[in-house]
Amino acid sequence: MATIAYEDLTPGRVVDLGKVEVDRDEMLEFARRFDPQPFHLDEEAGRNSVLGGLCASGWYTASLWMRAYVDHVLADSTSQGSPGGNELSWTAPVFPGDVLHFQLEVLSRRLSKSKPGLGLVEITGTADRGPDRVLRFTFLGMFGTRA
Amino acid sequence: MATIAYEDLTPGRVVDLGKVEVDRDEMLEFARRFDPQPFHLDEEAGRNSVLGGLCASGWYTASLWMRAYVDHVLADSTSQGSPGGNELSWTAPVFPGDVLHFQLEVLSRRLSKSKPGLGLVEITGTADRGPDRVLRFTFLGMFGTRA
């Protein structure tokens, strides 16, 4: 049986998802494939943009958060995926070498009315660089109940 | 001067971002790195999940949409990035070989009060597989004005 089920995700619970250093090479590889905007690819273009420097695609930052969420929570859980979220905010640019601290907080939860044994958990995921929040994502996670 | 500026993004405007076939190998590579949940990695685990089959990470689908948006709009625009969005919905699972049709629609726009020459454009991006919507993302894009 998985360690983390619907019953464990109580509103107010905060889960530390660890820290990750942003790897410049992978950041650039991601941008070349999925988000080839100048400020994600080139130092000078980054400096000349409102973002202030060569910075990560927001999708890369979100994907790094996702990996931390899988490693720390989903891998040993009753997760059944997610229908999405109602907020995805890139609140500050992310630069190569930044150390990002990932966390999540459970906001609320309810049992599914249509699917017995399934619950919906509202979660806010965050990434912080020191005192600066760089990512906030609020979404619904679907988790099986223990029973 | 870029072809697409704030002035061109009028509310109601729909932009076709083309079609892409979901590549199984890349879909799996993305999942192994960023979202290694069983239903994103393994046929049998996918079939036994509520998702009904081996399917793409939602972040992969969103990243494919982003690339189409860069190719068709941002690459020749005054874009200055995005602070994020208020909806990101994965409305149906995406399977290898699916052909996704990407579009966007401009919902509203306003000039920035604090930054002259910059406008905020509210956009909904979508991905459809035939008649089925698989992704919807509503976000703000920052674009320079022509003047």
Side-chain angles (χ1 to χ4, degrees), chain B residues 62-137:
Chain B
S63 295
L64 290 176
W65 184 89
M66 186 70 208
R67 176 56 189 261
Y69 177 43
V70 173
D71 286 348
H72 288 79
V73 175
L74 298 184
D76 190 21
S77 79
T78 60
S79 172
Q80 309 240 9
S82 166
N86 56 24
E87 188 200 4
L88 174 60
S89 298
W90 296 298
T91 47
V94 169
F95 304 106
D98 281 357
V99 175
L100 302 183
H101 181 207
F102 299 125
Q103 290 185 281
L104 70 77
E105 179 175 355
V106 178
L107 299 186
S108 67
R109 64 178 182 178
R110 61 185 168 81
L111 289 167
S112 168
K113 283 168 188 160
S114 58
K115 293 184 182 169
L118 197 71
L120 291 161
V121 183
E122 186 188 19
I123 292 171
T124 292
T126 54
D128 297 306
R129 175 188 51 222
D132 300 322
R133 180 138 299 170
V134 300
L135 175 76
R136 191 175 57 242
F137 176 47

Side-chain angles (χ1 to χ4, degrees), chain A residues 38-119:
Chain A
F39 40 74
H40 294 325
L41 294 173
D42 181 75
E43 293 280 0
E44 193 178 341
R47 278 195 302 273
N48 294 334
S49 76
V50 295
L51 299 165
L54 173 68
C55 60
S57 168
W59 301 107
Y60 180 61
T61 309
S63 295
L64 290 177
W65 184 88
M66 186 70 209
R67 176 57 189 260
Y69 178 41
V70 173
D71 286 349
H72 288 79
V73 175
L74 298 184
D76 189 21
S77 78
T78 60
S79 172
Q80 309 242 7
S82 167
N86 56 23
E87 188 200 4
L88 173 60
S89 298
W90 296 298
T91 47
V94 169
F95 304 107
D98 280 357
V99 174
L100 303 183
H101 181 206
F102 299 125
Q103 290 186 281
L104 69 77
E105 179 175 356
V106 178
L107 299 186
S108 66
R109 65 177 179 177
R110 61 185 167 82
L111 290 167
S112 168
K113 283 168 187 159
S114 58
K115 293 184 182 168
L118 197 71

